Amino acid sequence: MGAVVRDPETVRLDARGRALVDYAVKLARTPAQVTERDLDPLREAGLADADIHDACAVASYYCFVNRMANGLGVELED
């Protein structure tokens, strides 16, 4: 998991993992650029629409929580 956090673009993953990471990164970094076509690799990797919904919800939630923490000046504990 640490490798995904450090370098999500080049970490070695199977097709399903690569599709999920690529989707989550795009959703986090450039959400306005996500289109229906971005779901194709997820479906090709075997994810059902419910799985894609869950992946979107989890990625979006983490973005939301991080932005709330940043916006409120929350600092991480040691």
Side-chain angles (χ1 to χ4, degrees):
M1 184 58 126
V4 172
V5 173
R6 284 189 302 277
D7 194 4
E9 286 84 6
T10 62
V11 66
R12 294 181 66 167
L13 300 167
D14 62 15
R16 181 182 174 101
R18 172 56 45 210
L20 283 164
V21 168
D22 289 347
Y23 175 72
V25 167
K26 185 169 184 178
L27 185 60
R29 292 182 180 167
T30 56
Q33 294 178 13
V34 175
T35 69
E36 179 76 21
R37 296 178 75 195
D38 292 303
L39 305 181
D40 292 342
L42 297 167
R43 291 185 177 121
E44 291 167 7
L47 279 81
D49 286 346
D51 300 322
I52 295 169
H53 170 274
D54 292 348
C56 181
V58 170
S60 298
Y61 175 74
Y62 275 95
C63 290
F64 168 76
V65 169
N66 286 327
R67 283 179 179 78
M68 287 292 295
N70 290 340
L72 296 173
V74 175
E75 295 184 22
L76 295 176
E77 295 180 12
D78 290 334

